[in-house]
Amino acid sequence: MSFGTLSNALVVIAIVVVVLIRRISCSELKNSDADAWRGPLILCGVGVYQIYGKHQYGAIDVVLLVIGAVVALAAGYASGMVAQVERRAGKVFFRLGIPGLGIMVAYLVVRLGLAGAGHLLGAATTVGGGALMVSLGANLLTQTLVIQSKAHREAEEYSVR
């Protein structure tokens, strides 16, 4: 494992830990959409930058990227659907809770399994962790979209009462 790969792995692990802690604890959903989307978009951007143009990609790389994207989007949707959204003093709060945490852990296990399979098959997308960052970013973007949708529905129901 090279120093670059090790540093990327540490960055991904740090991001995952921070995100999981924040998402399982009750956090305020910021009023600005940019606040909720900024982190996942940056994560996707860094991942795409790491993937783009550094290697010659083959069919196995494309298959692994597509499977990773499907798994990320499905897990993001599922964890967003089980997230608890509530209104307190005019502010919206959310948390994943135990079911959401279970979905996130299962997603990470599957995603790391895909990375391991890619490494064994010699896929270039597993070099550097860019695919993992894109996948995690896509997961968090999907999760955020679903949670924000639930929060907007909650706000509409609250205003009607």
Side-chain angles (χ1 to χ4, degrees):
M1 180 182 287
S2 72
F3 180 72
T5 304
L6 179 62
S7 64
N8 282 339
L10 292 176
V11 167
V12 169
I13 290 169
I15 290 169
V16 167
V17 168
V18 168
V19 166
L20 284 178
I21 289 171
R22 183 171 182 273
R23 300 249 169 159
I24 61 172
S25 62
C26 203
S27 301
E28 181 182 355
L29 186 63
K30 303 293 184 190
N31 291 333
S32 168
D33 288 341
D35 291 337
W37 293 87
R38 189 177 299 123
L41 282 174
I42 290 170
L43 191 59
C44 282
V46 169
V48 167
Y49 175 76
Q50 288 186 350
I51 291 172
Y52 185 72
K54 299 211 177 183
H55 301 281
Q56 189 73 5
Y57 297 113
I60 192 70
D61 295 295
V62 173
V63 168
L64 287 173
L65 285 172
V66 168
I67 292 172
V70 169
V71 169
L73 296 175
Y77 179 79
S79 59
M81 290 300 292
V82 300
Q84 301 162 351
V85 177
E86 58 189 55
R87 181 175 284 282
R88 295 185 204 157
K91 296 180 181 180
V92 177
F93 291 84
F94 77 98
R95 71 181 183 146
L96 291 182
I98 299 299
L101 179 62
I103 292 168
M104 285 292 292
V105 168
Y107 155 70
L108 291 171
V109 167
V110 169
R111 187 61 194 93
L112 290 174
L114 282 172
H119 182 71
L120 291 174
L121 295 170
T125 55
T126 60
V127 176
L132 191 59
M133 286 186 184
V134 170
S135 178
L136 183 59
N139 174 278
L140 295 175
L141 282 170
T142 305
Q143 198 179 92
T144 299
L145 175 66
V146 174
I147 290 170
Q148 282 185 328
S149 174
K150 288 174 77 170
H152 289 301
R153 282 195 309 269
E154 176 80 17
E156 288 175 3
E157 289 176 14
Y158 184 78
S159 67
V160 172
R161 293 182 202 167

